[in-house]
């Protein structure tokens, strides 16, 4: 690191503060200042429109994953980066990224490092004319499986959301099933996808809170079956996020 780079890093660190707090109150302001949030100590911070939109558009946000609200409300926990002079919020996060995998690595076995267990699956192009890879069954006469172990960064999960991309098309026998549980041997079916017309690379969300709440770790298994062409059923991307713990 050069001297100039080091000085810039120090200056940025001194200028901007970072903290995590619970929203106690939302105050509506002008359209240009959207709203302010008040923390448990009575300090007020300004959300402008641009920051709020960025927060809503974050890939895999927990609120979007769970299919619920996307607006902040009193009681939400957020982590912010802010200017301590103007109290204007620069960045905000309302959930913690735990695991992300898109199966696009040039090393076609790299995804295995994040998986807890797997059987009869491999990465492959899902269409010849589009640069997109996914996880597909290797031997199409058998079911393919991949399992992830997800550990909370808090004392235990409060909310856990899954965002994933997938495709299940054509043959009636094709499917993608998602299981979750507190151990690999005790799992509950959480979702089952059957063939859909036009569902090329659909983004979907699944709320895993009913299984995860109060637990330190959970296991999530994806099970897929396909006939004739392995890319008729594939898993394109998975993202797990949890909410910040209540203070």
């Amino acid at each position: 690191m050069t001297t100039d780079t080091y000085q810039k890093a120090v200056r940025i660190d001194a200028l901007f503060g970072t903290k995590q707090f619970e929203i106690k109150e939302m105050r509506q302001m002008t359209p240009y200042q959207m709203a302010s949030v008040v923390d448990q100590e009575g300090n007020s911070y300004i959300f402008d429109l641009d920051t709020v939109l960025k927060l809503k558009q974050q890939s895999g946000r927990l609120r979007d994953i769970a299919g619920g609200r996307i607006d902040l409300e009193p009681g939400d926990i957020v982590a912010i980066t802010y200017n301590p002079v103007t109290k204007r919020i620069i960045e905000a996060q309302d959930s913690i990224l735990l695991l992300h995998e898109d199966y696009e690595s040039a090393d076609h076995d790299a995804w295995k490092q994040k998986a807890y267990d797997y059987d009869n699956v491999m990465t492959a192009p899902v269409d010849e004319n589009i640069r997109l890879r996914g996880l597909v069954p290797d031997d199409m006469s058998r079911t393919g499986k991949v399992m992830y172990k997800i550990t909370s960064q808090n004392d235990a999960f409060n909310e856990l959301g899954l965002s994933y991309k997938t495709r299940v098309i054509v043959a009636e026998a094709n499917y993608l099933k998602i299981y979750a549980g507190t151990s690999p041997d005790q799992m509950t079916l959480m979702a089952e996808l059957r063939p859909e017309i036009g569902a090329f690379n659909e983004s979907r969300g699944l709320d895993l809170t009913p299984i995860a709440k109060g637990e330190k770790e959970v296991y999530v298994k994806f099970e897929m079956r396909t006939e004739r062409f392995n890319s008729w059923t594939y898993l394109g991307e998975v993202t797990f996020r949890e909410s910040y713990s209540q203070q």
Side-chain angles (χ1 to χ4, degrees), residues 71-228:
D71 294 320
L72 295 174
E73 292 183 357
D76 284 350
I77 305 294
V78 293
I80 62 171
T81 300
Y82 65 97
N83 185 315
V85 177
T86 65
K87 298 297 184 181
R88 185 172 296 276
I89 295 172
I90 301 162
E91 293 181 354
Q93 294 280 346
D94 70 343
S95 59
I96 305 169
L97 176 63
L98 300 177
L99 184 147
H100 174 75
E101 178 58 69
D102 61 11
Y103 310 106
E104 291 281 358
S105 173
D107 178 356
H108 297 165
D109 290 327
W111 63 270
K112 296 178 180 178
Q113 299 175 15
K114 298 179 183 179
Y116 176 79
D117 191 21
Y118 55 88
D119 178 58
N120 190 41
V121 285
M122 66 177 184
T123 59
V126 296
D127 279 288
E128 293 182 358
N129 59 337
I130 297 179
R131 294 182 60 187
L132 179 67
R133 298 185 66 85
L135 199 67
V136 302
D138 187 358
D139 179 356
M140 287 181 286
S141 67
R142 297 192 296 117
T143 300
K145 304 174 184 178
V146 61
M147 183 184 299
Y148 293 96
K149 178 181 178 181
I150 309 300
T151 302
S152 174
Q153 292 187 16
N154 301 312
D155 292 336
F157 287 111
N158 180 37
E159 296 174 288
L160 176 63
L162 162 67
S163 174
Y164 64 104
K165 292 183 179 181
T166 186
R167 174 172 66 186
V168 183
I169 58 174
V170 188
E172 287 298 322
N174 297 346
Y175 66 80
L176 178 85
K177 296 180 181 181
I178 304 174
Y179 298 83
T182 55
S183 78
D185 302 320
Q186 296 181 338
M187 310 196 83
T188 300
L189 178 63
M190 302 295 291
E192 180 175 353
L193 279 67
R194 291 289 179 171
E196 295 181 72
I197 297 175
F200 171 71
N201 189 35
E202 293 292 298
S203 295
R204 304 174 186 270
L206 183 62
D207 185 6
L208 300 175
T209 303
I211 297 294
K213 190 174 182 66
E215 302 291 341
K216 180 63 177 177
E217 58 189 30
V218 297
Y219 298 82
V220 181
K221 179 175 68 173
F222 298 85
E223 182 179 285
M224 63 190 81
R225 181 67 188 271
T226 190
E227 289 187 348
R228 195 172 173 186

Side-chain angles (χ1 to χ4, degrees), residues 10 16 25 29 39 55 65 74 111 123 162 174 185 204 212 222 229:
V10 171
F16 301 121
E25 184 182 349
M29 302 175 70
D39 67 13
L55 180 61
I65 291 169
W111 63 270
T123 59
L162 162 67
N174 297 346
D185 302 320
R204 304 174 186 270
F222 298 85
F229 294 104

